[in-house]
Amino acid sequence: MPDRTESESRKLLRRLRDTLAEPGKGQERLDRITHIIADSMRTEVCSIYLFRDAETLELCATEGLKAAAVHKTRMRVGEGLVGRVAQSAQPINTGNAPAAKGFRYMPETGEEVYSSFLGVPIQRLGERLGVLVVQSKEAREFSGDEVYALEVVAMVLAEMTELGVFIGEGAALSPLHQRTAMFRGGVGQEGVAAGHVWLHEPRVVVTNPIADDPVSEQARLRAAVDELRVSVNDMLSSADTIDGEQKDVLEAYRMFANSRGWLRRMEEDIARGLSAEAAVEKEQSTARARLQTVPDAYLRERLHDLDDLSNRLLRILTGQGQDTGAEMPPDPILIARNIGPGELLAYGRSLKGIVLEEGSVGSHAAIVARALAIPLVINAERITTEALNGDAILVDGEQGVVHLRPEDTVAAAFNDKIAMQAKAQERYSSIRDKPAETLCGTRISLHMNAGLMADLPSLEGSGAEGVGLFRTELQFLVRNKVPRRAELAALYARVLDASGGRRVAFRTLDIGSDKVLPYMKREDEPNPALGWRAIRVGLDKVGVMRMQLQALIRAANGRPLTVMFPFVAQFEEFTAARDHLMRELDREEKLGRPLPEKVEIGAMLETPSLAYAPRQFFELTDFISIGGNDLKQFFFAADRENERVRRRYDTLNVSFLTFLEQIVKRCDDTGTHLSFCGEDAGRPIEALCFAAIGMRTLSMRPASVGPVKHLLRKSDLREARAIIEAARERGDQSVRPAIMDWMRGQNWAV
């Protein structure tokens, strides 16, 4: 076959466009298309394989193979040459298909007489849709121009599939974005929610993949690229108002936008017959397939930059801005690849749930979601390419599972779960004003965690006795520059006002690791969780710490003040931070400002090392708050961001409980007030065990106060303690099974 010329390629696409415009069902159109492609490329065979589910391809149309094989021949991803194309998202071109690696003989197709094989992926923006194949009896490899031409055709087929042109009977021809889909991710914030999809970045729809006039299309593309370059340059010109990381991203944007190769490849696609929009998407899809397989994390991150830049270019070309005119549903579940804290706060409590393709349990988005008590699932791969505005969706933040367009039975079971939780909350409201006092007469003080003014109304309704942790970093994370002292003082004063005289423990700035301030240079650390973070940053950036301490003192304005320093690993870090606070108190007194009526100075115990600090530490500090999330990951050497190891270790592991008990004893010996703060404090069974080993203060999210109080009020800590001791004597790895059996014996729900 002679090399494809540009005019021949456009001729083939024009024939495709004309046949697609003819009336007919999806199967009829696919049959006509395979005939046209085989005829134009002068091959005996053209076949189209589409996904019927995430792992299975189905032969949906063919010219040249046996007709009886259509909708009968199926293969798994990675199986046979077609399956290998789908798996790698790269073409396979061979003149001797039976001898090629991975070849699988399909006797029902009659393809054994065809030696040459060329398969290219049908894909759109990382979404695998199928495989397009041509075959011939002549034993030869297809030319580079032929491969390129088939890729262009596959791009058009992808767009047509997206637009629903090939809808027919069977799973493989069912409409896209209408099938039920389930996504497994990570737990960012517990809770469950049912609602409808609201896309943070609406999908760009290309309705004209084929163009007749390449000259005008190339002119449109160049004009759009020029506009894109100007906008990127404008953003960079205001670099003094953006942080270093954002500037690095914009520099990457500028590098891509000014890449001659990027523009040249898109112009070549247009010359082959694609519209400007389709050329941008083809280059984006090709780059995605190439970069997703690269092991280098930095290069994979550049994929996101290219995605963002391509989407900006598509919006310029199509005129489809962020505001599509769609109306936000009354029960929105936000879907995004990732989102900053400021953008998330702008949505506020209107959101019922959040699902992100990326993120981490300690990310800015997770912090805000916890503060707003919105269920959050992170690392739900591919959901942004599958979901559409208005789709029904169920979010289970307790299991890290998302059901998109759920079946009726799943929706009914999920709604039953929500109704049961709502009923339980009503039951908890009846004990809201009662103490968390056990049957054996032990009083447990339950506090709530907070980080926004919006949290404080929950203090009254939850039944919490105070705020055991107020995260102060959110006010720093949502700004593009350091907040002023007066702003912070006014905010902290409002927090104390809203607390109604209840104790509020302000945690000083806890940044670093995965919480990087927008205006702070990001440190390239191999293990940020063990790096320059929290109190380490505060002691090195004394000016910021002093400013925050001054704001807290002024906010108190004669009222009691409670301050705790995060991630203290050794005694001298605490004494250094405490000295800074004492100096600021002296300074404020000399300036004639009112001092707090009483000052409590404490530390968060998040590293095992602090549990073994000298006795003088326990005598000097007014209180200790165990930061359970970090302490657990360091105790077990199991990264809480890593699902493969995080779930291997139980909070109720006998070793961990014994370690916590040692901390309880040291605090009892010195009369140091101790609390446990973290997700585990809000889990009723864990909370019961903490109370049984001697903890008397627990701090949790507001919604957990009721369930924890309910269980404590009907429990006898002496019995729970005996269960724990017996499990320890037996050498059990965890006390959980024994505690669960005991609760079942009490006829309590577990």
Side-chain angles (χ1 to χ4, degrees):
M1 171 182 160
D3 286 351
R4 301 289 91 198
T5 66
E6 293 175 354
S7 60
E8 289 174 319
S9 180
R10 289 199 302 275
K11 190 185 301 181
L12 169 56
L13 290 182
R14 194 177 299 115
R15 289 181 68 185
L16 284 177
R17 183 187 60 194
D18 292 343
T19 194
L20 288 170
E22 296 173 5
K25 296 181 179 180
Q27 186 64 58
E28 295 172 1
R29 286 173 167 167
L30 283 174
D31 292 341
R32 289 199 297 262
I33 285 171
T34 55
H35 173 76
I36 289 170
I37 295 172
D39 180 62
S40 296
M41 296 194 68
R42 303 188 184 107
T43 60
E44 288 94 342
V45 174
C46 174
S47 303
I48 295 175
Y49 297 81
L50 298 176
F51 278 96
R52 60 176 286 111
D53 58 48
E55 294 298 324
T56 311
L57 288 151
E58 182 177 298
L59 176 63
C60 289
T62 186
E63 171 80 10
L65 299 184
K66 292 180 180 179
V70 174
H71 298 303
K72 298 292 190 298
T73 296
R74 294 170 187 169
M75 63 200 70
R76 306 284 288 177
V77 172
E79 182 183 14
L81 298 185
V82 172
R84 282 183 56 207
V85 173
Q87 184 176 55
S88 67
Q90 298 291 331
I92 289 181
N93 181 11
T94 176
N96 187 359
K101 178 183 177 182
F103 176 80
R104 179 191 167 195
Y105 175 54
M106 301 280 198
E108 73 274 14
T109 65
E111 64 179 341
E112 64 273 10
V113 299
Y114 303 107
S115 296
S116 299
F117 176 97
L118 171 59
V120 300
I122 302 172
Q123 59 186 346
R124 184 181 187 271
L125 307 184
E127 184 177 10
R128 301 176 308 174
L129 301 174
V131 176
L132 174 61
V133 174
V134 291
Q135 296 171 271
S136 64
K137 293 179 180 177
E138 181 187 357
R140 68 174 184 86
E141 287 193 8
F142 290 86
S143 70
D145 276 353
E146 288 172 321
V147 175
Y148 196 101
L150 201 63
E151 287 180 324
V152 171
V153 172
M155 170 68 201
V156 173
L157 293 181
E159 291 299 332
M160 294 296 100
T161 303
E162 173 76 12
L163 293 172
V165 172
F166 306 126
I167 295 174
E169 295 183 6
L173 297 185
S174 63
L176 293 179
H177 311 298
Q178 292 186 27
R179 305 170 188 168
T180 293
M182 186 180 77
F183 301 85
R184 292 192 179 276
V187 176
Q189 163 64 11
E190 294 178 348
V192 294
H196 292 85
V197 167
W198 181 252
L199 294 172
H200 182 56
E201 293 184 342
R203 297 168 68 95
V204 176
V205 180
V206 176
T207 58
N208 59 329
I210 303 170
D212 285 326
D213 187 348
V215 175
S216 64
E217 288 298 302
Q218 288 173 343
R220 285 180 63 232
L221 176 68
R222 284 191 289 269
V225 169
D226 287 343
E227 184 177 336
L228 179 69
R229 289 169 176 167
V230 169
S231 68
V232 172
N233 288 336
D234 287 345
M235 286 187 283
L236 273 166
S237 67
S238 59
D240 56 329
T241 64
I242 62 176
D243 67 272
E245 189 178 5
Q246 288 173 317
K247 188 174 181 179
D248 290 344
V249 170
L250 290 176
E251 287 288 4
Y253 282 1
R254 181 156 67 180
M255 178 188 73
F256 281 127
N258 287 281
S259 167
R260 292 182 180 178
W262 185 54
L263 181 59
R264 175 180 50 76
R265 288 190 296 273
M266 291 188 291
E267 288 181 332
E268 288 175 354
D269 291 332
I270 291 172
R272 296 278 174 173
L274 293 183
S275 67
E277 292 88 341
V280 173
E281 279 207 351
K282 179 177 181 298
E283 174 60 19
Q284 188 178 1
S285 294
T286 303
R288 262 181 167 271
R290 185 171 61 248
L291 289 175
Q292 280 174 335
T293 61
V294 173
D296 189 292
Y298 174 82
L299 290 177
R300 287 201 309 273
E301 189 63 30
R302 300 286 70 78
L303 168 61
H304 298 321
D305 297 337
L306 181 58
D307 267 347
D308 287 341
L309 195 70
S310 298
N311 288 336
R312 287 172 183 264
L313 185 55
L314 283 170
R315 294 190 191 286
I316 292 172
L317 284 165
T318 63
Q320 297 174 28
Q322 292 291 110
D323 184 4
T324 61
E327 186 174 344
M328 182 183 288
D331 51 0
I333 305 288
L334 184 71
I335 306 294
R337 197 184 76 205
N338 215 331
I339 190 170
E343 294 172 300
L344 192 49
L345 282 170
Y347 284 105
R349 293 184 184 274
S350 65
L351 300 176
K352 298 297 182 184
I354 306 165
V355 184
L356 302 179
E357 279 199 2
E358 300 173 1
S360 66
V361 295
S363 66
H364 303 167
I367 294 167
V368 174
R370 286 189 207 112
L372 296 173
I374 299 173
L376 166 66
V377 172
I378 57 176
N379 298 322
E381 293 183 5
R382 292 186 60 255
I383 193 164
T384 59
T385 61
E386 180 64 35
L388 293 179
N389 274 338
D391 281 344
I393 186 170
L394 308 173
V395 178
D396 189 339
E398 293 164 3
Q399 302 296 325
V401 173
V402 178
H403 298 276
L404 184 65
R405 299 181 289 269
E407 295 177 350
D408 291 344
T409 53
V410 173
F414 199 87
N415 288 327
D416 286 345
K417 181 177 181 178
I418 294 175
M420 288 176 62
Q421 291 188 347
K423 188 175 181 180
Q425 288 297 334
E426 290 178 13
R427 183 170 69 248
Y428 303 144
S429 67
S430 67
I431 60 172
R432 181 186 61 195
D433 299 324
K434 295 179 181 179
E437 186 171 330
T438 64
L439 293 179
C440 57
T442 305
R443 179 83 175 262
I444 309 298
S445 182
L446 304 183
H447 293 244
M448 61 171 267
N449 301 331
L452 295 168
M453 275 299 299
D455 292 325
L456 274 300
S458 300
L459 183 56
E460 189 71 37
S462 68
E465 298 175 39
V467 179
L469 165 65
F470 189 90
R471 307 177 184 91
T472 62
E473 57 270 11
L474 287 176
Q475 289 71 44
F476 288 78
L477 289 169
V478 299
R479 289 173 166 82
N480 284 326
K481 58 183 178 180
V482 179
R484 292 196 297 261
R485 179 178 54 197
E487 291 176 329
L488 292 179
L491 172 69
Y492 300 152
R494 291 199 301 275
V495 171
L496 290 170
D497 292 341
S499 71
R502 295 178 179 86
R503 179 177 181 269
V504 178
F506 289 96
R507 183 179 69 187
T508 60
L509 196 57
D510 185 4
I511 55 171
S513 185
D514 47 12
K515 292 178 284 189
V516 180
L517 298 181
Y519 38 85
M520 186 176 81
K521 184 179 184 298
R522 190 183 190 103
E523 298 294 327
D524 185 16
E525 297 181 298
N527 193 341
L530 297 176
W532 192 58
R533 54 175 292 201
I535 194 65
R536 299 167 182 176
V537 176
L539 293 175
D540 289 351
K541 299 282 187 182
V542 175
V544 176
M545 175 184 275
R546 288 183 55 205
M547 182 270 287
Q548 186 179 27
L549 294 174
Q550 291 164 13
L552 286 166
I553 295 167
R554 295 180 188 183
N557 194 29
R559 293 174 289 190
L561 176 63
T562 302
V563 177
M564 63 179 174
F565 298 105
F567 205 65
V568 176
Q570 58 184 5
F571 184 24
E572 71 172 18
E573 290 175 337
F574 176 72
T575 57
R578 185 179 185 278
D579 288 346
H580 281 301
L581 178 52
M582 299 307 293
R583 281 196 292 271
E584 293 311 318
L585 287 166
D586 289 341
R587 181 177 178 275
E588 291 295 296
E589 185 176 29
K590 289 174 183 176
L591 291 173
R593 294 193 171 92
L595 296 182
E597 172 191 328
K598 172 188 174 185
V599 179
E600 289 183 287
I601 308 173
M604 293 203 75
L605 194 158
E606 300 170 89
T607 65
S609 62
L610 195 63
Y612 300 100
R615 180 182 176 90
Q616 289 90 333
F617 163 70
F618 291 88
E619 293 174 336
L620 181 62
T621 185
D622 294 314
F623 67 94
I624 290 172
S625 179
I626 293 175
N629 297 338
D630 264 330
L631 183 62
K632 184 178 166 185
Q633 77 165 335
F634 297 137
F635 182 85
F636 289 112
D639 183 359
R640 65 189 179 116
E641 304 283 357
N642 188 334
E643 291 293 319
R644 297 178 68 182
V645 299
R646 181 175 73 88
R647 295 182 182 273
R648 293 172 71 102
Y649 302 98
D650 188 356
T651 305
L652 300 186
N653 179 287
V654 170
S655 299
F656 190 57
L657 283 182
T658 301
F659 177 60
L660 294 178
E661 205 168 4
Q662 292 175 3
I663 299 171
V664 171
K665 187 176 185 306
R666 294 206 72 182
C667 289
D668 285 348
D669 289 346
T670 56
T672 307
H673 183 267
L674 175 67
S675 66
F676 188 102
C677 175
E679 295 172 9
D680 288 321
R683 297 187 173 111
I685 296 173
E686 281 82 341
L688 172 63
C689 292
F690 294 158
I693 64 172
M695 292 190 191
R696 297 296 175 258
T697 302
L698 305 173
S699 189
M700 61 202 71
R701 64 189 182 108
S704 297
V705 174
V708 169
K709 184 185 291 188
H710 176 71
L711 180 58
L712 289 174
R713 282 177 58 84
K714 63 181 183 180
S715 301
D716 187 322
L717 295 185
R718 293 169 300 190
E719 293 182 24
R721 173 79 186 195
I723 299 294
I724 293 172
E725 292 292 349
R728 183 182 287 151
E729 288 295 321
R730 289 193 302 269
D732 292 354
Q733 179 167 292
S734 171
V735 306
R736 189 180 300 277
I739 287 288
M740 299 279 279
D741 287 344
W742 171 66
M743 291 178 63
R744 290 188 189 98
Q746 306 289 325
N747 290 320
W748 296 344
V750 293

